[in-house]
Amino acid sequence: MSLRYRITKRNNSIKNNTEQYILQAVNTGTIDLDYISELISNECSLHEVDVKAVLIALGLKLEFFLTDGKIVELGDIGRFKMGFSGTASNDPTTLTPKRNIKKYHINYQPSKKLKQRLKAGVDTYKEGRRD
């Protein structure tokens, strides 16, 4: 398993619009719930339909607990919690969720095991090559 990258030109607007180049990760496709269910079922005694049912139920419970303000800890996967961004006000009495919350999002924190894996590094290769 390796992560693909490409070299991309960017303009640095902070430094007088100077051109700079960055390495950018390239996605190589999307894996859906059906495929993950099939792979997991091949590695255990559960049928693909049973695995899919559990993953769907996990998604529903994740949504339920996140919207209830809970942090959801999923072992080696990591932690999820709900957050939002909004606008500030000089007067705290004028703050309301409808007016001041602009966008909700999910914060993800990888598990310690996954962080250690990332810290150790991931094999990468340049797009168009496979060295």
Side-chain angles (χ1 to χ4, degrees):
M1 296 187 318
S2 297
L3 183 62
R4 186 186 306 181
Y5 72 89
R6 71 171 57 116
I7 297 173
T8 306
K9 181 170 59 172
R10 295 285 169 96
N11 287 329
N12 186 342
S13 60
I14 297 173
K15 292 187 176 181
N16 301 325
N17 280 333
T18 56
E19 289 183 355
Q20 293 181 320
Y21 294 88
I22 62 167
L23 296 178
Q24 182 179 27
V26 176
N27 295 314
T28 58
T30 301
I31 302 300
D32 65 6
L33 193 62
D34 292 332
Y35 186 64
I36 291 174
S37 299
E38 179 184 341
L39 290 177
I40 292 172
S41 74
N42 290 336
E43 295 176 6
C44 66
S45 61
L46 296 173
H47 191 275
E48 181 181 336
V49 175
D50 299 321
V51 174
K52 188 173 181 180
V54 169
L55 293 174
I56 289 170
L58 175 63
L60 295 172
K61 291 303 177 190
L62 187 65
E63 179 184 351
F64 174 80
F65 288 117
L66 289 173
T67 57
D68 193 37
K70 302 284 192 270
I71 296 172
V72 180
E73 171 74 50
L74 295 178
D76 286 345
I77 295 172
R79 302 165 58 127
F80 297 84
K81 65 180 177 178
M82 182 80 68
F84 55 80
S85 56
T87 58
S89 174
N90 293 331
D91 182 7
T93 61
T94 64
L95 290 172
T96 64
K98 189 171 184 172
R99 185 174 30 229
N100 297 94
I101 295 176
K102 299 300 177 192
K103 181 179 169 184
Y104 292 90
H105 57 268
I106 304 296
N107 292 320
Y108 168 69
Q109 180 181 14
S111 66
K112 287 183 181 179
K113 182 179 178 180
L114 186 52
K115 282 183 188 177
Q116 289 170 349
R117 170 96 166 103
L118 295 173
K119 191 173 184 178
V122 177
D123 291 336
T124 57
Y125 68 96
K126 187 173 182 181
E127 187 175 43
R129 295 179 54 177
R130 191 72 172 149
D131 295 337

